[in-house]
Amino acid sequence: MQKIIISFVFIFLAHFLQAQQNVLLMIRKLPADHPKDSAIYIAGSFNGWNPRDERYKLNYGAHGYTIEFSLQKGNYEYKFTRGGWDKVECKKDGSPLENRVLKLENDLSLQLDIDEWQDRFPVKPKKSTASRSVQIMDTAFWLPQLQRQRRVWIYLPASYHNDQRRKYEVLYMHDGQNVFDDSTSFSGEWGLDEMLDSINREVIVVAIDHGNEKRMNEYNPYDHERFGKGEGKSYIDFLARTLKPYIDKHYRTKKKKKHTMIAGSSMGGLISMYAVLSYPKVFGGAGVFSPAFWVAPRIYDEINKKGKKVKSNIYFYAGKQEGERMVPDLLKAFETMGSVSKSHMRAVIKDEGRHNELAWRKELPAAFFFMLDGDQHNGH
């Protein structure tokens, strides 16, 4: 059964046929003592928030830093970096800067100021916000399929140590740095531990850190001309064939598919969709938040080919402020899946939704219960 919750009525095919609009950005002012000739990049909703995308590197010349590119009409979010998120632009006092918004209706030329760079301020240690139920399972868990190590977090419910006979459902999540703890997140945590501590539904959560510079590769099942070799198949094989068996062996879990979920956002949303297609007998629920389907258009062929074998609870979410392609791409996947699969699915589109942890955190409770119960759950 399918259910769509959307805040608009029609999405026109013409949306996909719009002409490209030209954008010219010029940096009018830079911070004092800015490193001369250092590279500046744009990271935004139009390039997967890649902080070092050579295609969006500003040119440096007689008129300073400039860049020209083309996009379809719509709203986009972006920031300037010097090649990494530790070198992202910020306010004059070093505090975080809200995403810039590019409202593109016609060709556009803008002169912009960069006040400061984050790496020019002392790093202020953040206080851990992880609850007592969260622990580091392993600082260097071995991924044999990828021949590298990774930190893995685990959330154990309060009752876990009190009732030795009880077994638990399990949720696997990507981008583990952002799931439980503000001190390890880049721009805020999901607050999953706080949510679980406050509701009457106890599960185990396993969160795997992303691979930093390898993130775009590990979360993409397909090779990409810009980002390189796709390692998504190996990553999902690791989750299904190595990590899940380990968790099931060392913790008291309900091992069956209907008790096993997977969820993530952006590239994590993409790889969660791929996971449920690749292992339909392993993952009974999937949370596909703001998926970066634009990076991997072959996912639609994958859905057509493998979707008929999937019967899971799949929760799709996107915000209308995330860029012009986000909502249409998500609904295309939702509709394609609905045409071939008997899965229980829900697509939620929010007018105010942006591409950040705050938006995903707000949507998490509804997604959580849907992944577990489909349409059977009627309240928290």
Side-chain angles (χ1 to χ4, degrees):
M1 181 178 66
Q2 302 176 52
K3 184 176 181 180
I4 307 178
I5 300 177
I6 54 177
S7 55
F8 54 91
V9 180
F10 299 105
I11 295 179
F12 296 100
L13 177 61
H15 177 90
F16 296 97
L17 304 177
Q18 292 172 345
Q20 296 276 307
Q21 306 300 313
N22 297 318
V23 179
L24 171 62
L25 302 182
M26 298 168 282
I27 304 302
R28 178 176 54 191
K29 180 183 177 182
L30 288 164
D33 302 319
H34 171 80
K36 187 177 180 181
D37 299 341
S38 64
I40 298 178
Y41 302 83
I42 296 179
S45 56
F46 42 80
N47 71 340
W49 293 95
N50 184 349
R52 196 183 181 91
D53 189 339
E54 293 297 325
R55 295 193 179 190
Y56 287 89
K57 179 180 178 181
L58 277 67
N59 298 308
Y60 182 73
H63 300 288
Y65 289 93
T66 63
I67 187 171
E68 294 184 67
F69 54 93
S70 298
L71 296 170
Q72 288 185 352
K73 290 182 179 180
N75 296 335
Y76 303 89
E77 296 185 14
Y78 68 101
K79 284 183 178 178
F80 292 105
T81 82
R82 293 193 351 266
W85 288 116
D86 59 326
K87 301 179 180 67
V88 68
E89 62 174 324
C90 62
K91 296 180 180 179
K92 291 180 180 180
D93 61 359
S95 58
L97 182 71
E98 290 291 323
N99 292 341
R100 295 179 184 265
V101 177
L102 186 66
K103 295 183 178 181
L104 193 56
E105 298 179 352
N106 299 290
D107 290 350
L108 187 64
S109 176
L110 293 174
Q111 292 187 337
L112 303 167
D113 298 339
I114 296 177
D115 290 330
E116 262 299 350
W117 300 108
Q118 193 68 66
D119 63 321
R120 287 151 61 97
F121 291 85
V123 178
K124 298 179 181 179
K126 294 181 180 179
K127 183 180 179 180
S128 175
T129 59
S131 76
R132 289 183 296 177
S133 298
V134 176
Q135 57 188 270
I136 302 297
M137 189 189 82
D138 196 328
T139 59
F141 196 93
W142 183 245
L143 286 66
Q145 292 82 356
L146 291 166
Q147 292 294 295
R148 58 188 69 130
Q149 298 174 335
R150 196 62 44 77
R151 181 174 59 182
V152 179
W153 310 63
I154 191 164
Y155 170 97
L156 298 175
S159 66
Y160 185 86
H161 300 291
N162 301 326
D163 185 350
Q164 299 299 315
R165 295 173 299 176
R166 185 174 177 182
K167 295 183 178 181
Y168 298 83
E169 298 156 307
V170 184
L171 168 61
Y172 292 87
M173 291 199 68
H174 319 291
D175 293 315
Q177 296 97 324
N178 303 330
V179 175
F180 303 117
D181 198 339
D182 190 58
S183 69
T184 59
S185 68
F186 170 70
S187 59
E189 56 151 321
W190 284 62
L192 181 53
D193 47 338
E194 288 88 352
M195 185 200 85
L196 291 175
D197 287 345
S198 66
I199 63 174
N200 187 28
R201 188 64 175 264
E202 294 186 312
V203 304
I204 291 173
V205 181
V206 181
I208 309 93
D209 278 8
H210 64 66
N212 295 310
E213 71 278 358
K214 290 289 187 180
R215 182 177 185 270
M216 294 295 290
N217 307 96
E218 290 180 359
Y219 292 176
N220 193 343
Y222 319 108
D223 294 346
H224 193 279
E225 61 178 356
R226 186 186 308 169
F227 306 124
K229 180 176 176 57
E231 298 178 330
K233 182 181 184 304
S234 296
Y235 172 71
I236 292 304
D237 287 347
F238 157 71
L239 293 183
R241 298 181 179 181
T242 300
L243 184 59
K244 184 181 186 300
Y246 179 92
I247 297 296
D248 289 341
K249 180 179 179 180
H250 291 85
Y251 298 89
R252 297 193 312 277
T253 66
K254 295 180 178 180
K255 302 177 177 62
K256 291 184 179 180
K257 161 189 168 176
K258 65 179 180 179
H259 304 304
T260 307
M261 302 157 286
I262 190 167
S265 60
S266 194
M267 291 296 295
L270 165 64
I271 201 63
S272 295
M273 185 73 236
Y274 182 78
V276 80
L277 291 168
S278 299
Y279 287 94
K281 295 182 179 180
V282 173
F283 300 108
V288 183
F289 292 81
S290 306
F293 289 149
W294 65 269
V295 175
R298 288 171 57 187
I299 194 68
Y300 304 113
D301 295 330
E302 200 90 28
I303 292 172
N304 270 315
K305 181 180 178 181
K306 299 181 178 179
K308 63 182 178 180
K309 296 182 180 180
V310 180
K311 190 174 181 181
S312 301
N313 299 328
I314 308 176
Y315 193 96
F316 294 86
Y317 166 82
K320 292 176 70 175
Q321 306 304 315
E322 298 189 69
E324 286 298 286
R325 292 187 58 176
M326 181 61 71
V327 171
D329 284 359
L330 181 137
L331 290 179
K332 179 180 178 181
F334 176 83
E335 292 164 0
T336 303
M337 191 70 179
S339 69
V340 297
S341 173
K342 295 182 179 180
S343 292
H344 294 266
M345 300 192 301
R346 178 177 294 174
V348 177
I349 311 298
K350 292 293 180 65
D351 285 343
E352 72 283 4
R354 294 186 178 276
H355 200 81
N356 57 37
E357 277 72 20
L358 178 60
W360 303 321
R361 181 171 182 161
K362 289 180 179 179
E363 199 62 32
L364 182 58
F368 173 76
F369 283 108
F370 189 87
M371 285 188 285
L372 285 170
D373 303 326
D375 281 319
Q376 299 176 30
H377 190 85
N378 295 314
H380 295 194

